[in-house]
Amino acid sequence: MSLAAEVAALLPRRHNAGWTLSPASAGARPVARLNNGPRHFLLVTDSGHTTLHAADVSLTVAGSAPAAVASAALRSLLPRIDGAVDASPAKQPHRLVYLAEVDTRLRELGTLAQHFGRADNTTRLAWQYGDATVSFTLHGACATGSVSFAGGLETLERFLAPFLPPHPGPGRVRAAPPRGCGGVARRIVAAYPHAVEADTDGLVRFEDADGGPLQGWVMPRNVNGSVGPMTPVTAGIIGAGVDLVLSALPTIT
């Protein structure tokens, strides 16, 4: 239960309710049930691996570090749980309820945000992060949306950290960036060699290694231009759940 308690402490509160945990039964393996309103999953630890179970979805995380388990849950599992919970129209909170949670947390962190609504049931919440503009967009009643970034390269490197999985350890990295991909792509790959890939056009891509909905991209304005802390870049992340954004706010404000 100690691992479950540490994981629960790392998951953001939703609707002013914290995560609670209770023991569950699965043979001789340590199992805990984590609950937050209608959202719940099982956490099973066995032979140095932790598996998260929710409905017909399971996610295995190597090791038992609470930060790694919570990160995987935020990126992969909770957006799927929310999708199942929100399947019934009667249970769907409006997107403005979710954005209000984000706005409240931003104000607690001393950051003011602007709301932008569109006629297609889409609302965007935007704020400043250093030299960059960051926004979180939701459509309809969905709790999973997109995050966008426009600013300098050095700020982007810090911005990406909450959305990518922790480094898995020495020797477990992807291929080196291809020749001619540009300095921005090389710098992003050097910062996150375990999670991103670049192509010869200078576009950097990443997706959730745990098979979740998260996908993203980074693009410099000038692939062959000079590279420095203020080099302008844009980035987008789709499949970002409200929980992940809430947990990332202390880093991206």
Side-chain angles (χ1 to χ4, degrees), residues 161-190:
F163 299 102
L164 297 174
H167 197 291
R172 301 179 64 183
V173 299
R174 301 189 178 196
R179 186 183 300 275
C181 68
V184 168
R186 289 186 176 278
R187 185 158 159 172
I188 297 298
V189 172

Side-chain angles (χ1 to χ4, degrees), residues 168-236:
R172 301 179 64 183
V173 299
R174 301 189 178 196
R179 186 183 300 275
C181 68
V184 168
R186 289 186 176 278
R187 185 158 159 172
I188 297 298
V189 172
Y192 300 101
H194 63 293
V196 305
E197 294 180 322
D199 62 22
T200 55
D201 295 322
L203 180 67
V204 177
R205 296 185 181 89
F206 56 89
E207 59 185 22
D208 193 345
D210 298 313
L214 201 71
Q215 298 180 48
W217 55 268
V218 177
M219 189 69 190
R221 293 187 186 175
N222 183 354
V223 174
N224 297 313
S226 59
V227 176
M230 301 297 292
T231 299
V233 292
T234 57

Side-chain angles (χ1 to χ4, degrees), residues 95-132:
R95 65 185 176 283
L96 295 183
V97 174
Y98 297 124
L99 290 176
E101 291 185 71
V102 177
D103 194 12
T104 298
R105 183 62 180 135
L106 283 168
R107 291 176 184 274
E108 292 172 351
L109 294 167
T111 300
L112 296 180
Q114 291 182 290
H115 287 255
F116 300 91
R118 298 203 319 234
D120 62 349
N121 291 328
T122 297
T123 305
R124 178 167 62 94
L125 190 67
W127 63 94
Q128 289 297 124
Y129 166 47
D131 63 3

